[in-house]
Amino acid sequence: TGSGKSHSMMGSEEDPGLIPRVCAGLFDRLQARAHEVRFKVEVSYYEIYNENVFDLLGDGGEGLRVREDPKTGFYADGLTTLAAANPGHIIRYLEKGNRLRATAETNMNKRSSRSHAVLAITITQDSIDGAGTKSSRINLIDLAGSENSKLS
């Protein structure tokens, strides 16, 4: 807690963190290949708090059920997925979700994350020449602050 994990991930307007830089770089690379491929970028944002998964882009409420698909692996059933046409869309989704994150005040930090937050970015590329479709996912994770806020 207070070590700068969230700041490293988000940064500030003057000094962008890892997430804004990755998003800007991603869209720069995709735009550079627009003559070769069509692409779709989708985003989900969720938190893991007290061993429960909560959708930070949905209506909130109850925790989501974690399931396993034999081909794609683990997923949160009912998780909201939104399209993103540029890095600004992703940042706005993060800002919305961050208002719902579980936080608490500690001696080290006025607003400490009590949950792990996962930003999942899925990129789907369709080759214009018909060579096929590729899909990949980037998971960017902001770890929770100290689990024992009384000690921090």
Side-chain angles (χ1 to χ4, degrees), residues 2-48:
S3 64
K5 294 180 295 294
S6 293
H7 180 75
S8 293
M9 294 305 288
M10 285 303 298
S12 63
E13 276 193 45
E14 304 80 38
D15 184 23
L18 182 64
I19 291 174
R21 290 177 191 208
V22 166
C23 292
L26 170 68
F27 280 96
D28 286 347
R29 301 267 317 227
L30 293 173
Q31 292 297 337
R33 298 194 58 218
H35 64 285
E36 302 171 41
V37 295
R38 287 181 298 274
F39 63 88
K40 177 173 66 171
V41 177
E42 296 174 306
V43 176
S44 294
Y45 191 37
Y46 59 95
E47 72 176 339
I48 303 169

Side-chain angles (χ1 to χ4, degrees), residues 124-144:
T124 305
Q125 296 181 158
D126 288 315
S127 177
I128 289 175
D129 65 8
T133 299
K134 294 180 185 177
S135 182
S136 61
R137 180 179 309 179
I138 302 169
N139 291 308
L140 299 167
I141 303 167
D142 183 12
L143 297 173

Side-chain angles (χ1 to χ4, degrees), residues 1 105-109 114 145-152:
T1 298
E105 184 172 345
T106 68
N107 291 332
M108 296 291 292
N109 192 342
R114 308 296 348 134
S146 172
E147 293 300 319
N148 190 344
S149 60
K150 292 178 183 169
L151 294 178
S152 57

